[in-house]
Amino acid sequence: MEDYIIVVNRVEELQTIRDQQELELIFERARRTIIGGCEVVLVREDRSGNQQPFDRFSNEQDFEEYRNRVFRFL
């Protein structure tokens, strides 16, 4: 298994359109990645497609806190 990358721009877009189902899919895949022993990497993508990582999660508790922050705005 390899690290799971979450593009934060996409998460923000899904928050804007209130697509909870798609967000749940993303976060469930990420949770399974952590349980499998790999990391979840948060990246921000610029207009040219370059990704800048800015945070990593390797344990379920820290990731769950991030997930709760995302869903708080829905």
Side-chain angles (χ1 to χ4, degrees):
M1 191 175 233
E2 57 187 63
D3 292 347
Y4 185 72
I5 296 175
I6 295 178
V7 179
V8 176
N9 308 57
R10 177 73 176 139
V11 170
E12 292 167 346
E13 177 184 318
L14 293 170
Q15 283 176 308
T16 302
I17 62 173
R18 299 184 179 276
D19 190 343
Q20 287 185 297
Q21 186 175 6
E22 187 65 25
L23 285 168
E24 287 289 355
L25 287 173
I26 291 169
F27 285 108
E28 181 57 29
R29 287 184 201 122
R31 188 182 70 75
R32 282 187 265 145
T33 299
I34 290 172
I35 290 172
C38 294
E39 290 187 332
V40 172
V41 181
L42 299 182
V43 300
R44 184 160 301 278
E45 195 170 84
D46 63 22
R47 292 177 190 232
S48 61
N50 297 320
Q51 295 181 344
Q52 294 289 3
F54 66 90
D55 208 352
R56 298 178 102 73
F57 298 103
S58 59
N59 70 61
E60 205 171 346
Q61 182 178 355
D62 290 344
F63 180 71
E64 189 62 29
E65 289 174 15
Y66 170 68
R67 182 189 177 285
N68 289 337
R69 285 193 310 262
V70 168
F71 279 95
R72 182 179 338 146
F73 296 106
L74 293 179

